[in-house]
Amino acid sequence: MIFPVLAVVKKELTSVVRDGTIVISILIQLFIASFSSGLLLGMLSLYDADTIVQFGGNIKIGVVDSAENRLASLMRERGLQVMEYATLAEANAAYFHGEVLAVVDTPQDVNGLTQVDLYLPASETTSSLIRMVIQEPLKGYENYLRTEKGIELRYADLKGKPATSFEFVYSVLIPMLMFFPAFVAGSMSVDSITEEVENKTLQTLLSAPLTLNSMIAGKIIASVILAFLQCVAWLTLLQLNGIVIQNTGWILLLALMIAGITSTSSALSAVLLKDRERSQFIYSLILLASAAISTLLNISPITTMSRFAIGDAYTSGLNIVIFAAFLAGLCLLLSKLSRRLLV
Amino acid sequence: MNQILVIAWREVTRLRKRFGGGASPLAVVGLLALIGLSAYFLRDSVSLGAGLYRVGVSGDVPLIEDSRFAVLSLTSEEGKVFLEDKTIDVFIDGSQVISRPDDRSQYAVRALKQYMEAAELTRVGNSYDGESAFPLRVGINYLDASQPTGGPDAAAPAEVIIPSLTPPPAPFTQVLITLIYIMPITFISIFFTSSFMDEKMNRRLIVLLSAPVTPFQIIMGKMLPYALFALSTTALIAYFTKTNVLLALAIFAPTTLFIFAIYLMVPLFYRTFKDTTFIAMLVTTLTTAYLIFPAMFTNVNDLSYISPLTLAVKMYREEPFGWREYLFPSFPMTAIFLLTMFAGTRLLNEEFLMGYKPLTRKISDAIYLMLARSKTYLSVPLWSLLVIPAVYMFQILFLTFATNLPVRLILGFTLIASAAMEEVIKSISIVVLARHDKAGSWRDLIGLSFLSALGFLVGEKLLVLISIRMVSEAPVAGALFGVGLLLFIPLIAHFVFTSIVVLTHTKLKFPYPLAVAAGTIVHFFYNVYVLRGGF
């Protein structure tokens, strides 16, 4: 009984390796991973004031001086280079000589409000950059004005470290690399099952000493093995890159469960619909729907995966049980419905 | 035209039959409704870093409703213990925030800072009048770099902002809006692919080919319903997001054609179902990357105009753009569409469709079929010239890919990858012809290498001419497309590299990848020399 299943597994695996399709899959994942981190790098360097100040060199801003200019000192604290000028005309002249990138006029009281005039270059690129780095000092100045009016903004002095990169790695990159192989495994199961039907090779296959269920099981197992191997490879690569990942055992188990769930549910849709076009379509809809529902029910495997990876104290093997139970249910359902493939 | 319409109608009927039987349409509608509903509920709660931080609170602390934080109510003592043993990342005791010095805790503090800032602003905005809560107005004025004004002018500022309520301009949200356009187009084109595959599978396509219709009519007919559907979704989205429908159509029509063109190639090349799945995934990833990545840099870098999404972002911001900006992304996309249509008409024959060969063999056969019907001295340079837009897109993708590398490797990687790409493009046509014994003598090979180099150079310079204003501002792109003003030296250089590849492969019998590597290395050093200001 077990040997025919193994034979199917072996056949599926060799065909994937021979066709070279698995190479494309790995290429896609590599591309998605580097694309999304490249995107993040771009976002970080262009839309993060910290990075701009750190790497942007000296950003010189001209300030029209007055006796006590709180805004100017806030800009210095931000790491900007502030040049003081006596009048706006002088500051503007300095701008046209290229000494400063932008000019900030003296704050003035207008009908109970404080107004500051900002003079920026017409070039969109430079002006949006300056607006990004000057945002923090302006907000600080606004807070200072609020305090003067007796309004206290709480938690205004929090600092911390920029978390974008950390959040990206643990909540996007790791779950994506762990679940994308599962998603591919589902598609593969649909392909290999519907291919037997559409090529009319199913009957021939079943005339061998092989039951329908073990044929389907073999195809699912082959897809899951491939997904699992990819997950192991990604985890190793991530750790070689110096990303600290806790609970690797649980992470792999969770990835295995999810690959099992996607392949079984895709096999289910293949068994019921029997052609690739509709099965793939329904499978991807199911995938989207279950991602949404699991997030809604607060049992999202993505969050569980992130929490495992950062070593969250409240996340343990118990969180995987629900996915295992769901997988068992799906397998049972599939074994009951598999006969439909022959009808 | 009539034939095309007949095939188009047949396609619509086919699709209706396929999805008409049984309860499946109901199920599809149900599932779609479910997804829509969940997306509606999830629209605010899904964010970068969902579930990453555990926060302990005690005393009077504003309610933390953000998917990034899991909140625990603790007493003051418990909080400190939990923080110490790393069960929680940060502890808020009344108005005091306690953290550990390690990274994880500090990241949590920064995330908390962002959340609290917004929450406190809302609180202050609700409990005080507008002028006290937001006491600062910043007038933004723009200075023209060329003309110094006489002095402080009394002109009103271009815009007046409240700093805490006005985030600095970033195109991120608008890029996401424009992404909504791409998703239906991709989805619809997947159906287009499936339809082709289905017909290939049950051999109806072969029957169709023996009927008195041309391959061009078949492709157009099958594409028409899907393309119209895709364009009408574009129009609908534009209408519902209250923007200029005609402008949106003009922006996204080349993109639609481009995506369809690429998906047309999938069924022509696949051998097994798994192939299709993987190729389709690869194609989706690459096109999405190509479209989104540059758009992120709207208004930051002029190279962002290579993506039509940048135009869409501008459209949503009601900023004007000119013909150059429009043609810059649209021309290569349309050119690729035309090229694939041509390829499609040549490849749509029984032998090519049904052959089971390694993918590389299939590609080489495809190139041969595209070249074979005309004289080699015409087809080779034309091939090199017409493939330029595709080369250009791949080079952009290399650049995207390279941003992930350490900074000092970016330029090197991009240069090597694009040199390799160019060498493949210039030599592959000749190599394929030689394999089919259409060219063999030294004279043939060298002559064709020269023509191929010439075609490539002309195409390259035309592209630079079209895009000179945008690209010239970006040094890396300048290097990619060649900065040498003298046409003679680059021509000789291209000719030499191509000859190296062609001759080492066909005459010295080196494997093709090795031959390309040889050409690439020489090409790379030439590029480096040019970049250093050699010519």
Side-chain angles (χ1 to χ4, degrees):
Chain A
M1 179 61 206
I2 192 80
F3 290 113
V5 177
L6 284 183
V8 176
V9 171
K10 199 174 150 224
K11 176 199 149 227
E12 289 296 320
L13 289 181
T14 38
S15 93
V16 168
V17 173
R18 193 193 53 219
D19 295 347
T21 33
I22 194 68
V23 180
I24 302 184
S25 160
I26 290 171
L27 208 69
I28 300 169
Q29 294 172 50
L30 197 67
F31 189 81
I32 296 181
S34 58
F35 167 63
S36 47
S37 52
L39 204 61
L40 187 83
L41 181 99
M43 301 293 291
L44 269 185
S45 51
L46 292 169
Y47 299 114
D48 182 63
D50 285 315
T51 327
I52 296 174
V53 173
Q54 199 182 340
F55 295 107
N58 275 337
I59 300 175
K60 292 183 184 170
I61 310 271
V63 170
V64 181
D65 198 16
S66 61
E68 193 265 347
N69 197 336
R70 177 89 188 178
L71 184 54
S73 55
L74 280 170
M75 290 198 305
R76 279 198 193 91
E77 274 173 39
R78 188 79 193 84
L80 303 174
Q81 200 171 337
V82 177
M83 318 282 275
E84 294 183 5
Y85 298 93
T87 63
L88 183 59
E90 273 178 48
N92 277 347
Y95 168 82
F96 289 113
H97 290 131
E99 287 166 32
V100 291
L101 280 175
V103 173
V104 179
D105 200 0
T106 326
Q108 279 157 349
D109 279 333
V110 182
N111 321 324
L113 285 169
T114 307
Q115 171 142 7
V116 175
D117 270 311
L118 211 61
Y119 294 86
L120 299 174
S123 146
E124 287 171 343
T125 312
T126 334
S127 65
S128 55
L129 189 119
I130 292 172
R131 278 182 68 178
M132 267 176 258
V133 293
I134 214 167
Q135 174 82 351
E136 207 53 41
L138 284 177
K139 279 205 240 170
Y141 187 58
E142 195 180 18
N143 258 348
Y144 163 76
L145 294 175
R146 273 192 202 111
T147 330
E148 295 232 304
K149 292 187 185 249
I151 300 175
E152 197 69 51
L153 217 55
R154 291 184 296 170
Y155 311 109
D157 55 346
L158 293 179
K159 287 259 177 325
K161 283 187 182 170
T164 327
S165 197
F166 167 77
E167 289 176 355
F168 170 75
V169 167
Y170 288 93
S171 75
V172 178
L173 192 65
I174 294 176
M176 187 178 72
L177 288 177
M178 291 297 111
F179 293 142
F180 192 82
F183 163 62
V184 174
S187 281
M188 262 181 60
S189 310
V190 170
D191 287 342
S192 58
I193 293 172
T194 52
E195 195 153 43
E196 304 286 359
V197 179
E198 296 196 25
N199 278 338
K200 306 196 167 55
T201 46
L202 185 64
Q203 296 299 340
T204 326
L205 197 64
L206 291 179
S207 63
L210 181 73
T211 62
L212 182 64
N213 274 339
S214 50
M215 189 273 291
I216 296 176
K219 286 179 184 298
I220 292 177
I221 292 171
S223 318
V224 172
I225 288 178
L226 274 181
F228 185 73
L229 289 180
Q230 290 172 60
C231 289
V232 173
W234 287 127
L235 272 188
T236 322
L237 265 180
L238 286 172
Q239 284 178 322
L240 283 180
N241 266 316
I243 293 170
V244 182
I245 300 171
Q246 315 280 346
N247 302 316
T248 38
W250 289 131
I251 288 182
L252 285 175
L253 189 62
L254 178 61
L256 197 65
M257 289 301 146
I258 299 298
I261 291 175
T262 54
S263 322
T264 317
S265 51
S266 72
L268 209 56
S269 76
V271 160
L272 294 179
L273 298 166
K274 295 195 259 309
D275 67 87
R276 179 183 178 275
E277 194 176 1
R278 288 186 299 173
S279 309
Q280 288 280 21
F281 178 64
I282 295 296
Y283 165 61
S284 42
L285 283 187
I286 291 176
L287 215 61
L288 278 173
S290 40
I293 293 169
S294 68
T295 315
L296 210 59
L297 294 179
N298 213 7
I299 49 165
S300 164
I302 301 174
T303 313
T304 315
M305 186 62 87
S306 318
R307 286 183 171 161
F308 272 135
I310 56 168
D312 179 54
Y314 289 87
T315 311
S316 68
L318 281 179
N319 294 64
I320 300 182
V321 171
I322 184 163
F323 298 109
F326 189 59
L327 175 59
L330 276 177
C331 288
L332 195 70
L333 190 64
L334 180 62
S335 68
K336 295 280 174 233
L337 291 177
S338 60
R339 284 272 129 209
R340 297 241 187 144
L341 193 61
L342 299 175
V343 180
Chain B
M1 193 63 210
N2 230 345
Q3 303 281 21
I4 297 181
L5 288 180
V6 170
I7 294 174
W9 181 247
R10 182 176 157 274
E11 186 59 36
V12 175
T13 339
R14 192 201 74 92
L15 202 68
R16 229 177 28 203
K17 264 196 203 136
R18 174 122 271 194
F19 283 92
S24 62
L26 251 175
V28 168
V29 171
L31 269 172
L32 280 177
L34 196 66
I35 291 171
L37 218 65
S38 352
Y40 178 75
F41 283 119
L42 289 173
R43 69 197 187 284
D44 294 324
S45 59
V46 174
S47 67
L48 194 67
L52 271 191
Y53 308 114
R54 296 233 177 235
V55 181
V57 295
S58 161
D60 172 32
V61 174
L63 199 59
I64 300 179
E65 282 179 325
D66 184 317
S67 65
R68 288 183 294 176
F69 304 105
V71 183
L72 291 167
S73 280
L74 303 166
T75 65
S76 207
E77 292 72 36
E78 275 176 339
K80 275 158 199 153
V81 174
F82 277 28
L83 185 67
E84 216 38 60
D85 66 16
K86 300 198 176 178
T87 306
I88 55 174
D89 301 313
V90 61
F91 179 52
I92 313 175
D93 195 356
S95 60
Q96 198 191 2
V97 173
I98 313 169
S99 59
R100 293 188 309 267
D102 62 63
D103 280 352
R104 207 171 116 193
S105 180
Q106 290 301 309
Y107 293 142
V109 172
R110 175 58 69 96
L112 195 64
K113 173 189 161 80
Q114 288 166 357
Y115 178 79
M116 285 304 192
E117 217 171 70
E120 282 294 291
L121 279 179
T122 319
R123 180 183 67 89
V124 167
N126 286 339
S127 36
Y128 298 91
D129 67 284
E131 291 193 357
S132 319
F134 302 102
L136 182 65
R137 296 289 179 275
V138 176
I140 309 270
N141 306 273
Y142 292 102
L143 294 170
D144 201 336
S146 54
Q147 293 173 324
T149 41
D153 46 11
E159 73 184 295
V160 174
I161 61 164
I162 301 172
S164 51
L165 298 183
T166 322
F172 197 56
T173 42
Q174 280 126 333
V175 172
L176 288 185
I177 293 180
T178 56
L179 196 61
I180 298 176
Y181 285 95
I182 299 298
M183 292 211 293
I185 299 177
T186 317
F187 223 57
I188 293 165
S189 54
I190 287 175
F191 276 98
F192 168 62
T193 303
S194 303
S195 143
F196 246 104
M197 291 198 9
D198 190 45
E199 306 247 294
K200 180 175 158 182
M201 201 76 193
N202 58 27
R203 295 188 161 256
R204 279 207 203 120
L205 204 57
I206 309 297
V207 178
L208 203 57
L209 276 171
S210 56
V213 284
T214 60
F216 176 76
Q217 286 169 330
I218 296 179
I219 296 176
M220 281 309 275
K222 287 181 88 66
M223 195 184 280
L224 195 66
Y226 296 101
L228 284 181
F229 191 41
L231 285 177
S232 44
T233 54
T234 303
L236 271 182
I237 295 171
Y239 178 75
F240 281 116
T241 49
K242 297 191 176 60
T243 185
N244 189 335
V245 175
L246 286 179
L247 190 61
L249 281 177
I251 291 173
F252 284 102
T255 318
T256 312
L257 290 180
F258 170 69
I259 293 178
F260 272 88
I262 294 189
Y263 276 92
L264 171 65
M265 289 289 108
V266 178
L268 291 179
F269 279 94
Y270 94 105
R271 300 153 305 165
T272 64
F273 277 5
K274 285 191 208 97
D275 264 9
T276 332
T277 303
F278 286 115
I279 297 176
M281 268 185 218
L282 183 69
V283 161
T284 316
T285 328
L286 293 182
T287 43
T288 321
Y290 177 81
L291 292 172
I292 299 178
F293 189 73
M296 288 287 173
F297 303 102
T298 309
N299 287 356
V300 177
N301 190 315
D302 285 335
L303 256 186
S304 65
Y305 280 110
I306 54 173
S307 163
L309 289 191
T310 301
L311 300 179
V313 170
K314 286 206 142 261
M315 172 178 79
Y316 275 98
R317 290 204 197 142
E318 298 184 346
E319 290 170 353
F321 55 85
W323 275 106
R324 269 173 184 282
E325 282 90 344
Y326 177 73
L327 284 180
F328 192 54
S330 309
F331 172 74
M333 294 200 150
T334 318
I336 286 181
F337 169 73
L338 295 176
L339 188 69
T340 40
M341 281 305 283
F342 172 73
T345 55
R346 286 291 156 91
L347 300 183
L348 207 60
N349 62 62
E350 183 165 4
E351 199 190 336
F352 185 79
L353 284 181
M354 293 304 173
Y356 185 96
K357 293 171 185 163
L359 217 50
T360 41
R361 265 302 292 286
K362 266 210 126 152
I363 292 172
S364 105
D365 281 359
I367 295 172
Y368 177 71
L369 282 174
M370 286 166 72
L371 299 176
R373 280 198 216 162
S374 27
K375 297 272 182 243
T376 49
Y377 58 82
L378 271 179
S379 59
V380 168
L382 266 180
W383 157 265
S384 300
L385 184 125
L386 295 176
V387 185
I388 295 268
V391 174
Y392 157 82
M393 288 192 162
F394 268 100
Q395 292 182 337
I396 299 299
L397 283 176
F398 290 148
L399 200 62
T400 318
F401 199 63
T403 50
N404 190 40
L405 295 167
V407 177
R408 63 206 154 78
L409 291 182
I410 291 181
L411 193 62
F413 170 83
T414 326
L415 283 180
I416 290 185
S418 21
M421 174 92 197
E422 289 179 14
E423 287 320 312
V424 170
I425 290 302
K426 284 182 297 173
S427 62
I428 188 92
S429 53
I430 307 170
V431 168
V432 165
L433 286 173
R435 269 187 208 162
H436 286 87
D437 294 325
K438 290 265 176 170
S441 66
W442 286 84
R443 225 193 74 197
D444 279 357
L445 292 176
I446 294 180
L448 287 176
S449 297
F450 179 78
L451 287 174
S452 176
L454 183 70
F456 190 85
L457 193 75
V458 171
E460 194 183 56
K461 293 301 162 196
L462 275 179
L463 192 75
V464 173
L465 205 68
I466 294 170
S467 52
I468 194 116
R469 195 172 62 89
M470 326 278 183
V471 179
S472 60
E473 286 182 30
V476 179
L480 289 186
F481 301 121
V483 281
L485 285 174
L486 282 170
L487 286 176
F488 184 64
I489 295 167
L491 176 62
I492 296 296
H494 274 307
F495 167 52
V496 171
F497 310 144
T498 313
S499 311
I500 292 175
V501 180
V502 170
L503 294 176
T504 42
H505 177 66
T506 48
K507 289 293 173 193
L508 301 177
K509 303 291 174 207
F510 271 53
Y512 186 61
L514 269 185
V516 170
T520 305
I521 292 168
V522 185
H523 190 155
F524 171 71
F525 282 112
Y526 165 80
N527 272 358
V528 171
Y529 186 61
V530 172
L531 260 188
R532 293 248 170 95
F535 293 112

